[in-house]
Amino acid sequence: MPRDLAALKEDTLQGMPQLTKSPEEVEGRQDQKMDAADELKLFRHMRANAGNNSKRDELHPYTQTLSLSDIESCILLEEATFPENERCTREKFDYRLRHCGELSMGIFTSLTDSDAATAATSAPVYSGAPKRKSVLLGHIIATKTTNMTVTDDDMAIPDDSADSEKYGHKEAGRTICIHSLAVLPQYQHRGLGKTLMQAYLQRIESHDVADRAALIAHDKLIPYYETFGFSNRGESKCKFAGGGWFDMVKDLDPGHEE
Ligand SMILES: CC(C)(COP(=O)(O)OP(=O)(O)OC[C@H]1O[C@@H](n2cnc3c(N)ncnc32)[C@H](O)[C@@H]1OP(=O)(O)O)[C@@H](O)C(=O)NCCC(=O)NCCS
C-alpha cells in the first residue's frame, strides 16, 4: 500500500526541540548550554527545514518498492541526476530490478500536473481518476553482498566470463549495497532524499533483510549520510567511475520496529 508521508511527525515544527530551556533544565548541564549565536543558527536551520518540508509535503510523496515495470522511469531519473560515467546502465537496472527489485525503493507523487522528467513514463494510479499517474521523483537501487563494504564486483553484473559468479547480487549476503540514491534535480533540497532513505532503512530493518547497509560516497556527501547513521570507514577500493570514493556503513538492528 502506498504510504503518504506528508504527516511524518518528526519533521513538523511541533515535534522540534524547544529552543529555550528552563533554568531547571539548564542547571547542571552548563556544558550543553547554547549561546545566542548557536541558538540563532539552530533557529535558522529549523526554519529552513520547515520550508523544505512544506515544499515536500505539497507533493504528498509516498514510497514503494520498485519492479521491472519502473525501469524506464529509473533510467530517466538517473540520466537527469548523475554524470554519464556514474549512471547505472539499462543492463544493470534490468538485472537489479529483475533479481531483487524488492531491495529497491522509489519515492513517488501522484499529482496530475507534474513536470518531472519521469512524468512521460509514469504508470496510471489505480484510482477513480484515470489522469492520475504515479510519478517517480527519487529512487534507491540496491542489491546484497557477502562483503562488509561495497566492492567493484558487487557493482558489476554477471557476464560470460569464467569468474562471472562473483559479480552482482548475492541472495545470502547480509550487507545491503546501495548503488544509487537519486532525486530529480528540480525536486532536490526539500527533504525527499531524507524521507526516502529513512523509509528505506526502516523497511529493511523491520523485514530483517540484512545486518548492515553500505554505500560509496564522494567526500562532499559524507556528512549527509552520517545524518542517517552511516559511518565513514575510510577510502574505498572501488575504482568505479574513476574512484575517489569513501566507504559508508550503517549497522542495522534487524527486526527493529519503530
Ligand atoms: C544527494 C541527493 C539524493 C539528496 O536528495 P535531496 O532530496 O535533495 O535531499 P534532502 O532534501 O533530504 O537533503 C538535502 C541535503 O543533502 C545534502 N546535499 C545534497 N547535495 C549535496 C551536494 N552536492 N554536496 C553536499 N551536500 C549535499 C545537503 O546537506 C542538503 O541540505 P540543504 O538542502 O540544506 O542544502 C540529491 O542531491 C541527488 O540526487 N544528487 C545527485 C545524485 C547523487 O549525488 N547521489 C548520491 C550518490 S549515490
Side-chain angles (χ1 to χ4, degrees):
M1 244 332 235
R3 190 171 148 230
D4 191 336
L5 292 154
L8 270 185
K9 244 214 304 252
E10 73 201 49
D11 285 339
T12 62
L13 278 169
Q14 208 184 0
M16 286 180 176
Q18 273 178 269
L19 279 178
T20 313
K21 293 188 190 329
S22 67
E24 295 77 25
E25 284 172 293
V26 172
E27 203 181 347
R29 298 178 58 188
Q30 293 298 321
D31 54 325
Q32 290 181 21
K33 192 180 172 189
M34 282 191 289
D35 61 21
D38 282 342
E39 281 202 6
L40 188 62
K41 223 156 72 186
L42 178 60
F43 174 71
R44 284 191 176 137
H45 174 76
M46 287 161 68
R47 197 176 51 184
N49 260 350
N52 285 349
N53 292 340
S54 80
K55 279 204 245 157
R56 178 201 63 191
D57 295 349
E58 285 163 13
L59 298 164
H60 300 287
Y62 55 92
T63 56
Q64 264 179 191
T65 52
L66 296 173
S67 69
L68 201 51
S69 63
D70 297 297
I71 187 167
E72 301 303 332
S73 291
C74 290
I75 290 169
L76 287 175
L77 193 142
E78 199 100 344
E79 279 174 5
T81 48
F82 284 101
E84 201 169 348
N85 63 336
E86 291 186 17
R87 280 178 210 156
C88 177
T89 60
R90 175 177 289 276
E91 291 69 33
K92 285 186 177 177
F93 272 125
D94 186 282
Y95 171 82
R96 290 168 183 166
L97 294 175
R98 200 180 283 278
H99 285 84
C100 51
E102 73 288 350
L103 296 179
S104 294
M105 185 181 261
I107 187 158
F108 296 83
T109 184
S110 60
L111 298 183
T112 45
D113 58 350
S114 172
D115 59 351
T118 50
T121 52
S122 55
V125 173
Y126 297 104
S127 72
K131 281 194 186 150
R132 286 184 92 80
K133 297 281 181 71
S134 198
V135 181
L136 185 70
L137 301 177
H139 67 208
I140 286 178
I141 305 295
T143 56
K144 281 195 293 181
T145 176
T146 50
N147 298 313
M148 301 299 275
T149 55
V150 180
T151 68
D152 281 323
D153 288 348
D154 298 320
M155 281 189 284
I157 55 174
D159 56 18
D160 296 335
S161 63
D163 50 1
S164 172
E165 85 271 356
K166 68 183 185 181
Y167 299 144
H169 173 64
K170 297 286 171 291
E171 190 53 38
R174 292 294 295 173
T175 303
I176 295 274
C177 276
I178 297 179
H179 300 283
S180 170
L181 165 69
V183 171
L184 285 173
Q186 77 264 42
Y187 294 98
Q188 290 176 6
H189 301 286
R190 50 173 93 180
L192 290 172
K194 175 182 167 192
T195 303
L196 175 59
M197 181 60 93
Q198 286 179 335
Y200 183 77
L201 293 170
Q202 193 182 329
R203 177 179 154 80
I204 57 174
E205 263 192 342
S206 63
H207 285 71
D208 191 7
V209 177
D211 297 324
R212 68 198 68 76
L215 55 84
I216 53 170
H218 285 308
D219 52 358
K220 63 182 183 187
L221 279 176
I222 289 173
Y224 182 60
Y225 288 119
E226 284 174 342
T227 65
F228 302 111
F230 285 85
S231 63
N232 179 4
R233 306 284 166 96
E235 283 179 33
S236 164
K237 292 195 180 100
C238 287
K239 299 279 177 287
F240 174 73
W245 304 95
F246 289 85
D247 280 317
M248 304 295 295
V249 179
K250 177 181 167 68
D251 291 321
L252 300 171
D253 181 9
H256 176 81
E257 300 268 3
E258 283 290 302

